[in-house]
Amino acid sequence: METPGELAAALDRTGYLADEGLATAAFLALRMRRPLFCEGEPGTGKTALAKALADALGTPLIRLQCHEGIDAARALYDWDFPRQLLHLRALEAQGRTAGAEAELYTRRFLLARPLLQALETPGCVLLVDEIDRADDEFEAFLLEVLSEHAVSIPELGEIRAAEPPVVVLTSNRTREVHDAVKRRCLYHWLEHPGLVREVAILRRRLPELTETLATQVATAVSRMRAAELLKPPGVAESLDWASALLALDRPILDVESAAITLGAVLKYREDADRMVAKGLDALLA
């Protein structure tokens, strides 16, 4: 793919509709071999971008889901202690305990976690999802691995990527990610899609959805996002809501349909209560 437009078209074929800014950022990340740091509200398509890139490039997607307390053992590699123990017992039964340590710490007993898998899979897409959930120490560790595209395992030596992975990092901005990470990445902020684009996304993902129903859903969701809710709905919730209406054979989004399917789009009781209190008829007007 030689231009951002060609990449946008390739993403389009996977069902992901990227605007010009996002397509350009992804294109530059590929061309410059730099990680792409995507930040924005939940549900704006950050994780889906990495999946679409992997599909468009025809390469595996390897996902590292960050969470509080994640460390190198969960992200990079670990040793398969149960198998090592069984092997050690077998050696003892055969009277071959001399030099057992050399046999125990081989590639055979190494468990590759996502980062090591990415280093060993040429050209893959590595998704580091919700890095804002990890702590500062893990950010520093991750930065070193991604900068060098290599890792040293004391028992085996250095493992270096033959071809560096395409890296996409995402953040919902629950906290600020350290500047050292951002400096080494290309950055793009993802907004919720506009009405026209969201209608296009809904109809692309749900071909049986009519133009009328897609527009009604996208319009109502847009108004919810402007209502200062605890958890404004993202595109995933728009798709869930439209899917729920289709499952119930509801051709239009009226007050009754909205009332019985509100749990598909709003996931907090306070948000649902607020929208009901304001009047669903006003939301759908």
Side-chain angles (χ1 to χ4, degrees), residues 235-257:
V235 176
E237 285 74 30
S238 297
L239 288 165
D240 284 346
W241 202 10
S243 296
L245 294 166
L246 289 174
L248 294 173
D249 293 323
R250 299 280 176 156
I252 62 170
L253 180 60
D254 53 20
V255 172
E256 180 190 358
S257 300

Side-chain angles (χ1 to χ4, degrees), residues 12-57:
D12 190 310
R13 289 191 289 272
T14 72
Y16 189 94
L17 302 181
D19 61 24
E20 183 180 7
L22 180 57
T24 301
F27 173 80
L28 290 174
L30 294 175
R31 180 59 60 89
M32 298 169 63
R33 293 184 175 273
R34 295 277 297 279
L36 177 60
F37 187 95
C38 294
E39 198 167 39
E41 296 292 332
T44 51
K46 302 181 296 295
T47 300
L49 171 65
K51 297 177 180 178
L53 272 175
D55 288 343
L57 297 173

Side-chain angles (χ1 to χ4, degrees), residues 29-132:
L30 294 175
R31 180 59 60 89
M32 298 169 63
R33 293 184 175 273
R34 295 277 297 279
L36 177 60
F37 187 95
C38 294
E39 198 167 39
E41 296 292 332
T44 51
K46 302 181 296 295
T47 300
L49 171 65
K51 297 177 180 178
L53 272 175
D55 288 343
L57 297 173
T59 192
L61 172 70
I62 297 175
R63 179 174 180 172
L64 173 62
Q65 179 64 53
C66 297
H67 56 81
E68 186 177 353
I70 189 172
D71 57 16
R74 292 184 179 91
L76 189 56
Y77 73 90
D78 203 356
W79 292 104
D80 192 342
F81 294 117
R83 288 188 62 207
Q84 286 176 316
L85 183 58
L86 288 173
H87 187 68
L88 179 59
R89 288 175 177 171
L91 292 177
E92 289 174 344
Q94 298 169 19
R96 296 174 45 224
T97 54
E101 183 175 352
E103 289 193 40
L104 292 176
Y105 291 96
T106 63
R107 190 64 180 82
R108 171 186 175 189
F109 297 106
L110 189 69
L111 295 175
R113 304 301 189 194
L115 290 182
L116 182 56
Q117 291 174 14
L119 293 178
E120 294 184 322
T121 307
C124 71
V125 174
L126 171 62
L127 168 61
V128 183
D129 212 10
E130 297 183 326
I131 190 175
D132 52 317

Side-chain angles (χ1 to χ4, degrees), residues 262-279:
L262 207 55
V265 66
L266 296 177
K267 308 303 173 68
Y268 284 83
R269 176 184 175 183
E270 295 87 346
D271 289 344
D273 289 346
R274 178 175 296 181
M275 298 313 303
V276 170
K278 286 188 173 184

Side-chain angles (χ1 to χ4, degrees), residues 187-232:
Y187 178 87
H188 189 79
W189 174 268
L190 276 77
E191 300 278 2
H192 288 294
L195 180 63
V196 173
R197 185 161 162 260
E198 186 149 18
V199 169
I201 292 171
L202 289 170
R203 299 205 68 199
R204 175 62 59 85
R205 298 290 295 275
L206 301 169
E208 65 273 34
L209 198 65
T210 65
E211 180 83 21
T212 297
L213 187 54
T215 302
Q216 288 179 319
V217 169
T219 300
V221 168
S222 178
R223 289 172 179 166
M224 289 178 179
R225 290 171 185 153
E228 298 182 357
L229 301 179
L230 294 175
K231 171 62 172 67

Side-chain angles (χ1 to χ4, degrees), residues 136-150:
D136 292 342
E137 290 75 13
F138 183 75
E139 279 187 38
F141 155 76
L142 181 66
L143 185 64
E144 181 180 1
V145 173
L146 294 180
S147 297
E148 300 297 328
H149 302 299

